[in-house]
Amino acid sequence: MEASYCLCGQPYDPSIFMIQCDMCKDWFHGSCCNFQEYLAIEIDKYHCPRCASIFGPSIYKPYHNWHRHDFWDDNANEKPVQTGTAVFIRELRARHFASEGEVVLHMRGQQLTETLLQQKGFDSPIVIDGKDGLDMTIPPDNFSLYDVEAYVGGDYEMDVIDVTRQSDIKMKLRDFVAYFNNLSRSRVFNVVSLEFSNTGLGRLIEAPLIARKLDWANTVWPDDYPIQKPQVQKYCLMSVKDSYTDFHVDFGGTSVWYHVLRGEKIFYFIKPTPANLTLYQQWMTSSNQSETFFGDQVDQCYKSTLRQGQTMLIPTGWIHAVLTPIDSLVFGGNFLHSLNIPMQLQIYEIEKKIKTTEKFLYPFFETIHWFAAERLLKQITQLNIEGHRCPNNLLVGLKTLLTSLKHWNTEKDVGIKGVKGVQLLNDYNLKYNTSTREQIPHTITPSKLLKDISKEIRHAERYINSLNPPKPERESKRKRKKPVNKDFVDYSLSTKNDFLLDPPDYQPRIKLTLPKPSTFSCDPPVISKQEPVNTNLDQSWPPNLLFRPEQTTAVHRGGTVLKFKLGTKDILPVDHSTSSNMPVSSNIILPNITKSVYDFNDDSEREEDCFNLSIDESPKKSKISFVKFIYVNHILRL
């Protein structure tokens, strides 16, 4: 465009908000004509101060709806409600949510220690009533936005969220303070990103001790490093009534400390489960994100109210939205730490996939992880030298971090090849890999660091295994090999009719191997025919079953003696009506040969009803599986 000058004599500057008069076509700085940037979208025709005296004041667009970001859309009746609008806030207040008691922990400041979090984990939001025990420095309750302006500076330009349109605008602090204290507000503005560490206000506020002790920016970032540590530790949040921040995960998977000096905040929490994070990633990239309440996409959404004087710590990865029911002034900060390394890295990967704008990322995220790896290496090395067990969160976190560092180091190499060799990467990837290469600290040798971490992890795991050697499996849980013998018979699948069962609903699982007929040669046992038959009956059994304490011997051709010893309660079925027709051998009554040789009872639970089958090759006798007398007689007849 042609050079144009403002009333102040300065030429057109695209980096500063300027507006063109629709009548004289001149450009003006917003500050020169007392015109706010956020009003520009509402103007249909702008008249500069000179033209306004001739043509009248500027003409504003007429409002046609209250449920869309475009209030001037006259065809919005059939369109869904969008996030942040007046209709949305009204519907949100009327919704029912699960109680915070299921996910939020309440405790005293003295209880919140680093040891507690290391032992119990930092996996749920924590609320502390009051400041006692937190070792936190906060201004007095009468501290106001005018004081914020005095310490930070009225000319400080900051990002402001236009809630009803869910868009960002630029505004000077003095202008926002004037808006905040004006009772006749036409818009809803919210400030959530005023970082004041390097301002006069930074000296008045200190995070809770637990946050300062965990924060990597304090513990791993070298003081003499040429780049200043990430400035995300102190934020001032100034929100008017009905301010709303839609569902999000704090950048880089950082955890948050949050103290309400004045006012009140309502949090809507969603657990960072794998399923919920996957849904969150899809929702963030959807075309109708502003028309979809993410709390309806997941299994459960919890409501938690943080009141004046309370402090909250939100752990890594928790998806949350925030509603301000009354004007509020809040101080907080973000920090990375060693308790939730896997989740921090997972959130970072999600941010890259959804192509998050650089200004909304944790500054030097990869760099601080390289520094953290150095520190964690020293910790695990010291534990290994002293012979102490490495804590599980440290070991798991370091293993996950090692995987990411290797990936980032590989990306560095790919980036170099892309520059020197064939252009295998598109401009975006080349820029990204170059950025990755620049985030590796010059004081670190990546290959050596990765090698040392791998070595110490292996050492720690070997030590843990030596303390807890794996227990052998129980015999019953081992997978048994099938016997090689082709004569193996498996009765586990047989029907009840194949057995003489007592009781009839009991089905034994018996596996036995039938010997080959040619393997053994057995002679009938020599038993005196004059020996009386034992006719003592067990009254609990049917009267046709006789008990015969007998023993016989089979001689193998190789000289091995095979003994069959019948217990005192081994039974013989006797049918008096047909017993005269049955073959008799040495006072032993054999069953009818028409019966199957596999018909037998298994009372293996009754040890007294068993007999022993043993090879007489050593003085000791070994017991084998129980078989009944019918099967013994069958072997003898062979």
Side-chain angles (χ1 to χ4, degrees):
M1 60 174 292
E2 296 181 1
S4 181
Y5 292 85
C6 175
L7 290 176
C8 65
Q10 298 296 324
Y12 173 83
D13 186 354
S15 63
I16 302 175
F17 171 69
M18 299 187 71
I19 188 169
Q20 186 181 31
C21 177
D22 287 292
M23 305 306 294
C24 65
K25 305 303 180 182
D26 287 335
W27 286 87
F28 301 90
H29 293 116
S31 57
C32 292
C33 56
N34 196 25
F35 186 85
Q36 300 297 329
E37 179 182 357
Y38 65 87
L39 294 174
I41 194 172
E42 299 185 11
I43 295 292
D44 186 25
K45 291 184 178 181
Y46 174 69
H47 299 166
C48 68
R50 291 180 308 186
C51 297
S53 59
I54 303 175
F55 301 101
S58 301
I59 301 175
Y60 285 78
K61 301 176 184 176
Y63 279 44
H64 292 292
N65 70 84
W66 297 99
H67 69 282
R68 301 289 294 178
H69 293 163
D70 183 0
F71 303 122
W72 314 279
D73 183 1
D74 54 359
N75 296 318
N77 291 335
E78 302 300 325
K79 296 180 181 179
V81 177
Q82 286 186 300
T83 303
T85 59
V87 176
F88 171 85
I89 299 299
R90 184 171 64 249
E91 293 180 354
L92 179 63
R93 287 176 177 271
R95 281 174 172 263
H96 175 74
F97 295 90
S99 171
E100 67 170 22
E102 300 182 35
V103 294
V104 178
L105 303 177
H106 287 259
M107 63 177 64
R108 293 180 294 107
Q110 293 84 352
Q111 296 175 292
L112 187 58
T113 63
E114 187 176 4
T115 302
L116 174 69
L117 296 182
Q118 288 176 346
Q119 293 176 349
K120 304 296 184 180
F122 185 21
D123 303 318
S124 298
I126 300 173
V127 172
I128 302 95
D129 295 326
K131 299 180 291 183
D132 294 342
L134 289 177
D135 194 7
M136 175 177 62
T137 304
I138 293 293
D141 295 342
N142 60 357
F143 196 81
S144 68
L145 267 66
Y146 290 114
D147 297 310
V148 174
E149 179 184 352
Y151 281 101
V152 176
D155 289 331
Y156 185 91
E157 191 173 63
M158 56 188 183
D159 290 321
V160 177
I161 299 175
D162 184 345
V163 175
T164 53
R165 300 188 62 251
Q166 288 292 290
S167 60
D168 293 335
I169 61 174
K170 292 288 186 179
M171 186 180 292
K172 289 185 178 181
L173 179 56
R174 69 163 58 93
D175 294 331
F176 179 83
V177 172
Y179 154 81
F180 190 95
N181 291 297
N182 186 357
L183 298 180
S184 58
R185 305 167 186 154
S186 60
R187 308 298 290 271
V188 179
F189 293 146
N190 187 17
V191 174
V192 297
S193 57
L194 173 56
E195 215 289 333
F196 58 85
S197 294
N198 293 328
T199 69
L201 184 59
R203 298 189 300 270
L204 301 181
I205 296 171
E206 287 292 342
L209 178 61
I210 184 64
R212 301 199 305 269
K213 293 177 68 175
L214 293 176
D215 192 354
W216 278 354
N218 296 331
T219 60
V220 307
W221 195 277
D223 294 332
D224 57 350
Y225 197 67
I227 300 177
Q228 187 183 31
K229 68 180 181 181
Q231 299 296 302
V232 295
Q233 299 167 300
K234 297 178 181 180
Y235 283 100
C236 179
L237 296 85
M238 300 171 288
S239 310
V240 300
K241 179 183 176 182
D242 290 340
S243 291
Y244 175 78
T245 304
D246 208 0
F247 286 98
H248 64 282
V249 177
D250 281 278
F251 50 81
T254 51
S255 298
V256 182
W257 69 272
Y258 205 89
H259 178 82
V260 179
L261 185 68
R262 292 215 321 269
E264 189 174 293
K265 292 283 185 175
I266 299 176
F267 288 83
Y268 303 93
F269 283 120
I270 296 174
K271 292 181 179 179
T273 63
N276 289 343
L277 288 175
T278 300
L279 292 173
Y280 172 75
Q281 181 177 332
Q282 295 173 355
W283 175 74
M284 286 291 290
T285 55
S286 63
S287 58
N288 62 340
Q289 177 185 358
S290 64
E291 300 172 352
T292 307
F293 184 70
F294 183 64
D296 296 334
Q297 305 284 310
V298 298
D299 55 347
Q300 197 68 273
C301 183
Y302 304 89
K303 178 181 177 181
S304 175
T305 302
L306 192 67
R307 295 177 173 81
Q308 183 169 315
Q310 291 183 323
T311 303
M312 174 181 282
L313 270 73
I314 305 175
T316 306
W318 277 74
I319 309 167
H320 59 283
V322 186
L323 173 66
T324 306
I326 58 177
D327 293 355
S328 301
L329 175 60
V330 174
F331 295 104
N334 297 67
F335 57 99
L336 293 170
H337 53 86
S338 303
L339 298 177
N340 294 330
I341 295 176
M343 181 63 71
Q344 290 172 179
L345 294 170
Q346 183 178 356
I347 299 304
Y348 179 61
E349 291 301 317
I350 292 177
E351 289 175 339
K352 291 197 296 184
K353 290 178 181 178
I354 64 178
K355 299 181 180 179
T356 304
T357 307
E358 184 176 355
K359 78 173 186 175
F360 297 122
L361 296 174
Y362 186 95
F364 303 105
F365 180 87
E366 295 181 13
T367 303
I368 199 170
H369 276 76
W370 283 101
F371 286 134
E374 274 192 321
R375 182 177 179 84
L376 296 178
L377 173 61
K378 293 178 181 178
Q379 293 181 11
I380 192 174
T381 301
Q382 188 65 26
L383 291 171
N384 291 338
I385 292 175
E386 296 175 355
H388 293 162
R389 183 191 184 105
C390 180
N392 185 65
N393 64 343
L394 174 58
L395 185 59
V396 173
L398 195 53
K399 290 172 68 174
T400 309
L401 179 56
L402 177 63
T403 302
S404 294
L405 294 180
K406 288 180 178 179
H407 177 64
W408 298 340
N409 193 46
T410 303
E411 284 188 338
K412 174 205 67 173
D413 295 337
V414 171
I416 293 174
K417 292 177 182 178
V419 173
K420 293 183 178 180
V422 181
Q423 293 294 330
L424 299 177
L425 305 173
N426 58 37
D427 293 338
Y428 174 79
N429 286 333
L430 182 58
K431 179 181 179 181
Y432 171 73
N433 285 319
T434 302
S435 175
T436 299
R437 182 170 68 255
E438 292 174 350
Q439 287 207 47
I440 299 179
H442 66 273
T443 58
I444 292 178
T445 304
S447 58
K448 184 180 185 305
L449 178 62
L450 298 177
K451 181 179 179 181
D452 291 343
I453 293 175
S454 300
K455 181 182 68 175
E456 296 301 331
I457 288 175
R458 289 193 299 269
H459 183 88
E461 289 179 333
R462 284 195 299 267
Y463 180 71
I464 293 175
N465 291 335
S466 67
L467 295 177
N468 301 304
K471 296 180 179 180
E473 288 184 330
R474 294 181 179 270
E475 183 71 22
S476 60
K477 293 184 178 179
R478 291 179 182 173
K479 187 176 181 181
R480 299 177 182 272
K481 294 184 179 180
K482 293 185 178 181
V484 180
N485 194 327
K486 65 181 180 180
D487 294 323
F488 175 75
V489 181
D490 188 351
Y491 283 92
S492 61
L493 301 178
S494 301
T495 61
K496 293 191 296 184
N497 296 332
D498 293 335
F499 301 94
L500 300 175
L501 301 176
D502 188 19
D505 59 345
Y506 174 72
Q507 185 171 349
R509 299 177 62 86
I510 298 177
K511 298 180 181 181
L512 55 94
T513 302
L514 298 178
K516 295 181 180 180
S518 59
T519 304
F520 297 94
S521 62
C522 303
D523 295 330
V526 181
I527 303 176
S528 174
K529 294 184 179 181
Q530 286 77 23
E531 181 179 352
V533 176
N534 183 1
T535 58
N536 294 330
L537 299 177
D538 188 336
Q539 297 303 321
S540 64
W541 290 79
N544 63 335
L545 300 180
L546 300 180
F547 299 87
R548 298 179 177 277
E550 302 288 353
Q551 176 172 316
T552 186
T553 304
V555 181
H556 187 264
R557 287 173 181 161
T560 303
V561 177
L562 182 64
K563 291 185 178 181
F564 298 87
K565 183 177 180 180
L566 304 181
T568 57
K569 291 188 179 181
D570 290 311
I571 61 174
L572 294 175
V574 178
D575 188 348
H576 296 288
S577 63
T578 60
S579 60
S580 59
N581 298 328
M582 296 173 63
V584 179
S585 175
S586 304
N587 276 351
I588 299 177
I589 302 177
L590 299 177
N592 193 325
I593 59 176
T594 60
K595 287 194 173 238
S596 171
V597 297
Y598 308 122
D599 292 340
F600 61 89
N601 288 320
D602 180 16
D603 296 324
S604 56
E605 294 182 0
R606 297 170 29 156
E607 200 170 313
E608 58 184 1
D609 291 345
C610 300
F611 69 92
N612 299 325
L613 177 61
S614 62
I615 305 297
D616 192 8
E617 294 179 330
S618 63
K620 296 182 179 180
K621 296 181 180 180
S622 59
K623 293 185 178 182
I624 67 169
S625 301
F626 167 74
V627 292
K628 283 299 179 181
F629 181 75
I630 297 174
Y631 174 61
V632 174
N633 279 288
H634 175 68
I635 294 178
L636 294 177
R637 294 178 65 244
L638 297 176

